[in-house]
Amino acid sequence: MTTFIDEVIEDLLKSELPLAETVVILPSKRAGSFFLKKLKEQLKDQVCFLPQAISIEELIEEISGLTAASQTQLQVELYHVYQNQFDGETPEAFLNFLGWGQTLLGDFNEIDRHLIPTDKFFDYLSAVKELNHWSTDSSSQFVSNYLLFWKSISTYYTNYKKHLEELGLGYQGMLYRKAVDNIVSFLNEDNQQYIFCGFNALNTAEQELIKSFLERSTTKIYWDIDPYFLNDNNHVTATFIKSYLKEWTGLKEKSLLLPKAKSSFNTSKIITATGISQNIGQIKYTGQLLSDFSKEELENTAVILGDEALLLPLLNSLPTSVKNLNVTMGLPLGQVAQAAFFESWFQLQINHKEQGYYYKDVLSLLDQQYTIFLLGDERKDLKKEITHKNLVFVKPDHLTENASKNYKLLFDFWNDKSSIALEQILNSIQQLKEVLLPQQNWLQLEFLHAFLELFTRLKNLNDSYPYLNNIKTLKQFYKDLLSQETLDFRGDPYQGLQIMGVLESRVLDFKNIIITSLNEGTFPSGKSQNSFIPFDLKIEYKLPTYREKDAIYAYHFFRLLQRAEHINLIYNNEAGGLNSGEKSRFLLQLATDPEANYKYVEQSASASVSLEPQTIKEIEKTPAIIEAIKKHAASGFSPSALTTYIRNPIDFYYKYVLGIKELDEVEDVIAHNTLGTVVHETLDTLYKPYLNTILSKEILEEMLSQINTEVKHQFELNYNAINIKTGKNLIIFNVAKQFVANFLNQELQTLNSGSEIVIKDLETKYVAQLNADICIKGTVDRVDQVNGVTRILDYKTGKVDTPQLAIKDWDELISDYDKQSKAFQVLCYALMISKKEPLPEHVEAGIISFKNLNKGFLKLTENKNSNITPELLETFETYLLKLINEILDSTIPFTEKEV
């Protein structure tokens, strides 16, 4: 395959230009290195000085005499000028400026790259902004500042350029404008031969510069455009090159269009377009395609990522056959997992309140890899303390008391000062370096070095300028910097599979091409315009819009296909969801071209999925399991353990046989079980002084007066009283008080109706022996006597209805959790009491449901009879033993139920 660079070199060598005095200008540095490699191959053993191969940006910088400043410095210097020139009352804070400063810089770039006369342009722009703004009789401060800013935009622009020039710096557009001003003097002092290769969409400054170079007889320009596109009046790929050939006088004589005559694009090649669901599907399919390539084919293969965010998934999906690899785009530092450490640390400090650090922020920081390196086992102790004490907010001084140096480093409060923050962060990086160096963890150290450079730059800026004056601003600026930083991959740029973005592919040709993410909105990128300049103003001044952007994408796409022989184009065919959309218009162009000689094949692909039937989990009872259950039976099954078995035997196995406990978690919002405990304990405390006492109106009124104090006390014991003063917890605190008050008021109504209540027992623990090997145990909330009838009560803060306490089928009682679990528990309590002492003649058992309190005491019934008789308990005991024997039966496995 003959590439564009091969054709340029062939013509260059034929022209007999002195190579040592020749400068080759290409769109990118990467293209320059490929050019020199190919030139060496064609020169073979010939000894000579090679030409200089540089990018257009390097040439512009040389001509302008200015140095291109980093985006970071450009933003800070722009804010510096904005603050000094602001005529209103209060300029925007730096944090707000970061939201629009980058867009303004982009517009300044466009204006200068296209050599727009700024005075008229800015007058026009400020008039448009004022016209677009709604009219009010008395403008607000915000509106006034907005209009003042656009009236002053010309002043900001002029002073900003002057300020940068004094520093010997410039943004890209400024360098272009300066280069146009300096081009005559530069050419007068320079005698080298210049060759321009592979350009397409030139801004006005580039056009003027190249025109000036073309005035020299020795200057040449090589266009990489297939005749098939050039001869098609409707194809957007050749839009720019055709306009230059038409408008520039004398250009045709100094131009060489490659390939020269015969089309390399419209040949008998096969172009395959494949629709696949979602981004990861595309990447997995790419890996599958690459696995079919031989080692020789991989040497001339490029994967072009339409969406560069898919780089990491692609690297993880490459087949083992890919031994050599060159990645041109770099790994975004923000995609490195270690970036989450600094994000979590910033969030911890920003969310700090008077009560301390929020527990979720502390736990998030403790789970980061860098924290594990710094703290080791210390972090586990803190996590245990937070969950054990239910600390929703953690005081910094509590965290750093008697702690290690690294512990204090992470949790000392920054006091909203960026200088303290940067010092602590840089110290932590130094500590991490000391941990990682002995381990020779080179990859981690590479990541760490990138973060060190980033935060050192921030510190230098903070030392020079007062704008990073709080943590929020520092974090935002850090995130802006992070989004621009990349980690370069090291490898031989000329060997193996090439992975690149669209722009890196300029001028380069490959035999095998795979392009991903060919969807509207991604490739091409669509109508997104990150600019303050209105569309009609851009049209008026011939500034590029989304139309020109589409033409640029079209050129890159079709140029890649020109000389390629095996082409795979991949797009997302998912109708909805993230990153979905219709397939790219470029695919439709390929499919519908009436003059196509190539074969266009469209197909869809999907992952092979084998659906396995869902199997119910079964666990056989080994002798060890039976032994564990017997120990449990001897110490006593609780009603809740038995109802867990009824609900799902697998849960019983995990919880009561294996002893697996639920993970302790901090309750930032009071949980239902905590609410239940508080209500139970409050009632127990209020009633305890009156055991075996006939309740009176005065006693209940005294209890009512103690509710607030006692509920608060119980929350102190069972939760954390500090956390019940605001939000949902305050509501739940009041719900708990209301539950207790409603119950006591109901008791008061019972007394007022002439009934007599005597409390016999409160929160009493019972153990009942069913046979020599089996016990049941539990705690009965309350036993009382109302008008001579003994009642066994169980409190429930949830809702319970009467049907749940009606026994209809004894087999259902030990098998249906939803319908009969409440009746089962109440019968267990009644049976335990009866085993301790004979029950009176008139006994009832049931539930007080605080969410159904208007129904009063919900009684257990069988055939509408609520009296607990010995016969009833005898029947229940038979079925209870049947259930327990099933649990102990080694032939019956623990079988999962659908819950």
Side-chain angles (χ1 to χ4, degrees):
M1 182 187 78
T2 304
T3 68
F4 170 70
I5 289 176
D6 290 334
E7 293 180 80
V8 171
I9 291 171
E10 185 185 344
D11 189 76
L12 178 63
L13 295 176
K14 281 180 184 175
S15 67
E16 297 183 352
L17 279 173
L19 293 180
E21 296 171 20
T22 301
V23 180
V24 181
I25 313 298
L26 295 133
S28 66
K29 287 182 181 179
R30 178 173 172 74
S33 62
F34 266 83
F35 180 88
L36 292 176
K37 177 182 177 286
K38 289 280 188 179
L39 180 59
K40 287 177 195 174
E41 288 173 3
Q42 293 208 25
L43 289 170
K44 294 179 182 175
D45 298 329
Q46 187 178 335
V47 178
C48 67
F49 287 103
L50 292 174
Q52 190 180 358
I54 61 173
S55 69
I56 185 74
E57 282 82 11
E58 289 173 302
L59 177 67
I60 297 299
E61 197 165 326
E62 185 184 349
I63 298 171
S64 69
L66 298 173
T67 303
S70 68
Q71 284 297 111
T72 309
Q73 189 167 7
L74 288 173
Q75 279 184 282
V76 173
E77 299 297 350
L78 178 58
Y79 185 71
H80 177 71
V81 170
Y82 163 70
Q83 265 210 328
N84 291 340
Q85 300 295 322
F86 187 75
D87 288 335
E89 292 181 18
T90 310
E92 288 264 14
F94 188 60
L95 180 62
N96 296 336
F97 166 81
L98 290 174
W100 52 265
Q102 193 68 39
T103 305
L104 189 64
L105 268 173
D107 286 340
F108 284 175
N109 254 324
E110 286 291 288
I111 290 162
D112 282 344
R113 278 198 297 245
H114 290 271
L115 307 177
I116 304 298
T118 54
D119 290 342
K120 284 185 179 180
F121 182 84
F122 285 130
D123 286 345
Y124 199 149
L125 182 59
S126 61
V128 168
K129 294 293 180 185
E130 191 164 0
L131 190 65
N132 284 347
H133 210 284
W134 60 90
S135 176
T136 56
D137 295 331
S138 55
S139 294
S140 67
Q141 185 66 41
F142 174 80
V143 173
S144 300
N145 282 351
Y146 176 84
L147 295 175
L148 180 63
F149 174 81
W150 287 109
K151 282 178 183 174
S152 310
I153 190 69
S154 180
T155 307
Y156 294 139
Y157 168 81
T158 305
N159 285 297
Y160 181 48
K161 285 184 68 174
K162 183 181 176 184
H163 174 68
L164 287 177
E165 202 162 339
E166 287 169 0
L167 297 172
L169 303 173
Y171 51 87
Q172 192 189 59
M174 182 176 163
L175 266 64
Y176 272 94
R177 198 187 278 267
K178 189 73 177 173
V180 171
D181 294 340
N182 294 349
I183 187 62
V184 174
S185 59
F186 175 83
L187 289 173
N188 288 337
E189 296 170 10
D190 184 272
N191 297 317
Q192 297 183 97
Q193 326 296 325
Y194 285 85
I195 294 172
F196 293 86
C197 301
F199 290 94
N200 172 47
L202 301 168
N203 59 51
T204 309
E206 286 171 332
Q207 291 179 46
E208 292 301 317
L209 289 167
I210 292 174
K211 282 179 190 176
S212 298
F213 276 104
L214 287 171
E215 288 174 8
R216 285 182 169 184
S217 59
T218 53
T219 303
K220 271 193 168 186
I221 187 162
Y222 293 91
W223 304 103
D224 187 6
I225 188 75
D226 195 278
Y228 183 73
F229 305 129
L230 204 62
N231 298 328
D232 187 337
N233 293 326
N234 298 316
H235 214 293
V236 293
T237 301
T239 301
F240 296 105
I241 294 173
K242 276 199 279 192
S243 69
Y244 305 146
L245 293 171
K246 182 180 177 182
E247 294 166 11
W248 296 8
T249 53
L251 178 63
K252 283 187 180 179
E253 293 74 28
K254 297 193 175 186
S255 292
L256 190 62
L257 301 165
L258 302 173
K260 293 179 182 176
K262 189 179 175 184
S263 171
S264 297
F265 170 74
N266 196 22
T267 60
S268 58
K269 65 181 77 174
I270 297 174
I271 300 174
T272 306
T274 309
I276 303 165
S277 176
Q278 299 298 342
N279 286 335
I280 296 302
Q282 295 182 65
I283 293 305
K284 293 296 179 187
Y285 184 70
T286 302
Q288 188 178 315
L289 287 173
L290 292 171
S291 65
D292 295 332
F293 284 28
S294 67
K295 184 182 176 182
E296 292 70 29
E297 286 174 322
L298 286 170
E299 289 293 325
N300 205 350
T301 299
V303 176
I304 313 296
L305 293 175
D307 179 359
E308 295 186 10
L310 298 181
L311 174 61
L312 267 182
L314 177 61
L315 292 176
N316 286 305
S317 302
L318 291 175
T320 53
S321 57
V322 177
K323 303 296 182 188
N324 296 316
L325 177 70
N326 182 48
V327 182
T328 66
M329 63 190 75
L331 175 67
L333 190 59
Q335 286 187 21
V336 171
Q338 287 73 9
F341 168 76
F342 299 104
E343 176 72 23
S344 297
W345 202 356
F346 273 118
Q347 212 55 44
L348 176 83
Q349 295 288 340
I350 288 169
N351 291 345
H352 177 270
K353 290 186 168 48
E354 193 179 335
Q355 307 99 301
Y357 297 128
Y358 186 45
Y359 83 97
K360 283 188 179 177
D361 295 326
V362 176
L363 294 178
S364 173
L365 183 61
L366 289 173
D367 286 335
Q368 300 304 324
Q369 190 178 29
Y370 280 168
T371 309
I372 295 168
F373 287 145
L374 287 170
L375 298 185
D377 290 338
E378 252 186 311
R379 53 183 282 280
K380 294 179 184 175
D381 298 333
L382 177 56
K383 288 178 85 170
K384 280 181 188 173
E385 187 177 357
I386 289 171
T387 51
H388 180 68
K389 293 184 178 177
N390 203 60
L391 300 173
V392 176
F393 286 97
V394 190
K395 292 273 188 186
D397 53 358
H398 171 78
L399 284 169
T400 54
E401 189 180 348
N402 303 319
S404 67
K405 179 184 173 184
N406 287 347
Y407 206 83
K408 290 180 179 179
L409 188 66
L410 285 178
F411 292 108
D412 273 344
F413 183 43
W414 292 347
N415 209 23
D416 204 27
K417 291 182 179 175
S418 54
S419 55
I420 296 174
L422 289 164
E423 184 182 346
Q424 295 286 81
I425 289 169
L426 289 168
N427 284 342
S428 75
I429 291 173
Q430 183 58 39
Q431 292 301 316
L432 283 163
K433 187 178 173 184
E434 290 175 15
V435 172
L436 294 170
L437 261 177
Q439 299 175 12
Q440 296 188 345
N441 196 333
W442 306 124
L443 183 61
Q444 289 284 359
L445 284 164
E446 187 74 27
F447 294 156
L448 198 62
H449 182 71
F451 285 112
L452 176 64
E453 286 187 336
L454 192 153
F455 283 108
T456 302
R457 266 193 290 158
L458 279 171
K459 186 179 185 303
N460 292 338
L461 283 169
N462 191 52
D463 292 343
S464 304
Y465 299 95
Y467 309 135
L468 304 176
N469 50 11
N470 59 57
I471 302 302
K472 277 190 178 177
T473 306
L474 178 64
K475 183 195 173 188
Q476 185 58 48
F477 204 43
Y478 156 74
K479 288 182 78 172
D480 283 358
L481 280 180
L482 189 67
S483 66
Q484 300 163 22
E485 292 295 313
T486 57
L487 292 165
D488 293 332
F489 289 90
R490 294 174 187 171
D492 189 333
Y494 313 116
Q495 276 197 353
L497 174 69
Q498 303 286 324
I499 298 176
M500 56 183 68
V502 177
L503 292 178
E504 283 86 16
S505 69
R506 289 175 295 181
V507 181
L508 306 179
D509 295 295
F510 300 93
K511 186 177 180 180
N512 308 303
I513 288 284
I514 300 171
I515 307 178
T516 68
S517 305
L518 279 161
N519 288 84
E520 288 295 312
T522 304
F523 199 151
S525 62
K527 294 185 179 181
S528 58
Q529 288 282 102
N530 190 21
S531 171
F532 289 124
I533 304 170
F535 183 78
D536 54 347
L537 191 55
K538 287 193 171 194
I539 296 294
E540 175 71 22
Y541 280 87
K542 296 182 172 57
L543 286 169
T545 65
Y546 67 86
R547 295 170 184 169
E548 284 72 25
K549 196 190 292 185
D550 285 353
I552 292 169
Y553 269 97
Y555 175 80
H556 291 318
F557 175 76
F558 286 102
R559 197 210 65 77
L560 274 167
L561 272 52
Q562 267 179 201
R563 299 173 181 84
E565 294 175 15
H566 304 108
I567 300 162
N568 278 282
L569 309 175
I570 305 171
Y571 64 96
N572 178 11
N573 62 4
E574 186 77 16
L578 290 172
N579 302 312
S580 61
E582 60 183 296
K583 63 184 176 184
S584 173
R585 68 193 72 173
F586 302 146
L587 297 180
L588 296 173
Q589 253 180 297
L590 289 169
T592 56
D593 191 338
E595 297 179 21
N597 292 327
Y598 55 81
K599 184 181 178 183
Y600 179 80
V601 178
E602 188 147 337
Q603 62 183 23
S604 60
S606 60
S608 56
V609 179
S610 56
L611 292 174
E612 294 182 6
Q614 191 172 358
T615 55
I616 292 172
K617 194 180 291 182
E618 279 192 358
I619 296 167
E620 296 295 331
K621 293 173 186 170
T622 63
I625 289 174
I626 293 295
E627 193 58 37
I629 299 170
K630 282 180 178 178
K631 283 182 183 177
H632 207 82
S635 65
F637 287 116
S638 67
S640 60
L642 294 170
T643 53
T644 299
Y645 179 83
I646 293 168
R647 182 174 180 269
N648 190 357
I650 291 292
D651 291 344
F652 175 89
Y653 168 73
Y654 289 143
K655 189 172 182 180
Y656 295 100
V657 179
L658 298 182
I660 297 171
K661 296 178 180 177
E662 289 183 14
L663 282 174
D664 280 339
E665 290 185 350
V666 176
E667 289 178 35
D668 49 348
V669 176
I670 298 162
H672 293 298
N673 59 337
T674 305
L675 172 63
T677 302
V678 166
V679 172
H680 277 66
E681 294 300 323
T682 301
L683 290 171
D684 181 47
T685 306
L686 292 175
Y687 276 102
K688 196 158 272 182
Y690 307 106
L691 275 173
N692 297 309
T693 303
I694 298 172
L695 294 183
S696 65
K697 182 181 176 184
E698 290 73 27
I699 290 172
L700 288 168
E701 285 175 346
E702 174 62 23
M703 289 185 195
L704 282 163
S705 68
Q706 295 174 21
I707 290 174
N708 190 65
T709 306
E710 190 53 42
V711 170
K712 190 173 181 181
H713 175 63
Q714 291 302 330
F715 270 115
E716 285 176 0
L717 295 176
N718 295 285
Y719 184 66
N720 191 327
I722 298 168
N723 304 326
I724 61 171
K725 295 177 181 177
T726 57
K728 289 182 181 178
N729 286 346
L730 178 60
I731 296 170
I732 295 169
F733 171 66
N734 284 303
V735 167
K737 290 196 298 181
Q738 196 62 49
F739 277 170
V740 177
N742 288 347
F743 179 68
L744 293 178
N745 282 321
Q746 192 180 69
E747 297 267 84
L748 202 54
Q749 285 176 12
T750 305
L751 291 184
N752 290 336
S753 67
S755 297
E756 181 183 274
I757 304 173
V758 180
I759 305 298
K760 292 293 185 182
D761 251 330
L762 290 168
E763 297 290 335
T764 305
K765 290 180 169 48
Y766 289 91
V767 178
Q769 197 81 31
L770 301 183
N771 61 33
D773 301 316
I774 299 170
C775 287
I776 59 169
K777 63 182 180 182
T779 302
V780 179
D781 290 339
R782 167 170 157 170
V783 179
D784 65 17
Q785 206 171 60
V786 178
N787 298 330
V789 177
T790 299
R791 301 190 308 175
I792 301 166
L793 276 74
D794 189 30
Y795 299 137
K796 297 289 184 192
T797 46
K799 187 173 182 180
V800 181
D801 283 315
T802 307
Q804 291 173 277
L805 289 160
I807 304 168
K808 294 176 183 175
D809 184 324
W810 284 100
D811 285 315
E812 201 175 67
L813 183 77
I814 60 170
S815 61
D816 194 324
Y817 175 86
D818 292 331
K819 290 181 180 178
Q820 296 280 265
S821 61
K822 302 296 185 292
F824 181 90
Q825 283 186 317
V826 169
L827 279 167
C828 283
Y829 296 136
L831 181 63
M832 283 188 280
I833 294 171
S834 72
K835 291 285 183 182
K836 185 180 179 184
E837 56 186 84
L839 293 177
E841 185 181 349
H842 299 293
V843 180
E844 294 176 339
I847 286 173
I848 296 290
S849 170
F850 288 94
K851 283 192 177 177
N852 198 9
L853 205 55
N854 59 335
K855 294 285 181 71
F857 175 53
L858 302 171
K859 299 174 186 179
L860 176 81
T861 61
E862 184 192 23
N863 298 325
K864 298 187 178 179
N865 180 14
S866 63
N867 198 34
I868 305 295
T869 63
E871 294 77 22
L872 179 76
L873 292 177
E874 191 177 329
T875 305
F876 172 64
E877 187 172 353
T878 304
Y879 278 90
L880 179 59
L881 284 167
K882 182 182 176 183
L883 175 69
I884 295 172
N885 286 330
E886 180 186 309
I887 296 171
L888 288 162
D889 190 339
S890 60
T891 63
I892 302 174
F894 291 114
T895 305
E896 187 176 19
K897 285 185 183 178
E898 287 188 17
V899 179

